[in-house]
Amino acid sequence: MNLFFKKLTGQLYATEKMERCIMAEEERIARYRQVEKSAEFKEYLELKKIVESKEFQQKKHNWTRTKYKSTPTYALLREYKTLLNDKGLQMFLELEQSERLKEFLEFRQSENYVKLQSKKEVRNSLELKQMYAFERSKEYKSYLTYRDSKLPARFKALVAQVMTDEFKKEYAFWSNPNRWKISDEYQKEIRFKQLAAMADIIFYFKQDVNRIELEETWTPVFEDEFDWVKLSDSKWRAGFAYDNPKLLKIHSFANEQAANNGGRNVGTVDGKLHLFTKEERVTAPAWDAKKGFVEKEFDYTSDIIQTADSFRQQGGLFMAKIRVEGNIHHAIWLGTGKKLPMINLFHYNGKHIVIGNYTERGFEGTTIRGISPRVYHIFGLRWNEKELIWYVNNVEVYRTSHNVPKEKLFLAISSFIDELQRAQEGQINVAWIRVLAKK
């Protein structure tokens, strides 16, 4: 597959951008879950339920749209003021409890009451004059007018009601044109809007929860940032890994020009793995298909390291940030202690990058063109029950459903020079390796 035009048109992300995307995705999910657990988000959800309820919205509508003069509070207070300004009623109420009325009512029940009909008797008696004057007064006429009326009782009830703290509170609320803004509900609405405007909460609701939940089904099972110094302190061991314990692990092949050097050509610098192939004359074991293990003189040394004892994985997402130097073989691959299965996550054969899967029928894969192997790229493999899918940075480059392994494989990193190549020095550099698995 040629990635030149995808690179030219920006469809193939630059490796730095791809790393930023990976990091941003991790940060995005972490931030999403952090917001979800926050006190502010919990408060937001509680207020959202309240503020968006029909009851709350109806209350807001009533309180903001209702005019004071149309409220029961206004009607009751107006009735109270009307009766308060009724002079006749007020005379009645004032007279009702007076001694003058009491004396007159008692007088009416006495035998002397009939004397009020005689002008002579009235002229000759101070008491009769007073009683006569009272009976014809405005106060007494008001008394007679309101004595059998329901208004005095109604006024007294109104007085009792308007004097309560509850009514005073209602009056203060409904008579205030800004009543909504002094309510507890308004404060809840304001707080809800403040929370809704928070960057974290805006961020939360912009996310695709299905995508996040899908990404969260992956969990890291292997990570190496190459912050170790000694190979013995790492997850890697030098040499091949075989199921047969009798087979020699540190060896090369008779048709190769570089001897595997038992991990001595492996080191880390600035958090990056360096596996060197260098010019160096040594005598080392080599496997010959006809003779078995033989001693051979090599002009170059190289190395292989693997995780057979520390890590194996069936399925998942494998990613590595890789670059190489030298036109020789450099590879990161997945294998077992047998010849097959074997998967190339990355293989530079001295001319091209090749990725794919080894099968009983041979190698099945594709050649990657259009990118430089000397520049860091992220090579990825998504391995599920049905398929193997390879990526370079963000672009899918190959997939197959043939011979998908059904067992756990280990990771391996190696370099070698085959017998047909022009021997030269080189190295493979790996910035990091990560493996994720489905939860």
Side-chain angles (χ1 to χ4, degrees), residues 42 48 82 163 183 235 274 308 323 329-330 418 420 436:
K42 181 180 179 181
K48 178 180 172 68
T82 298
M163 294 302 172
S183 67
K235 303 169 185 177
H274 297 259
R323 67 176 292 275
H329 290 274
H330 304 287
D418 70 42
L420 300 178
L436 291 83

Side-chain angles (χ1 to χ4, degrees), residues 25-35 216:
E25 185 72 6
E26 293 171 353
E27 291 174 351
R28 184 178 67 86
I29 294 172
R31 182 183 179 188
Y32 181 89
R33 293 306 181 193
Q34 185 177 11
V35 172
E216 285 184 325

Side-chain angles (χ1 to χ4, degrees), residues 18 42 61-62 71 79 128 145 168 207 236 245 252 273 277 297 303 336 345 380 400 402 414:
M18 184 64 188
K42 181 180 179 181
H61 177 83
N62 290 341
T71 64
E79 183 185 6
L128 291 177
T145 301
K168 291 176 181 178
Q207 305 312 304
W236 305 85
S252 301
L273 176 75
T277 300
E297 288 189 0
D303 242 318
T336 66
L345 175 65
T400 181
H402 295 153
S414 62

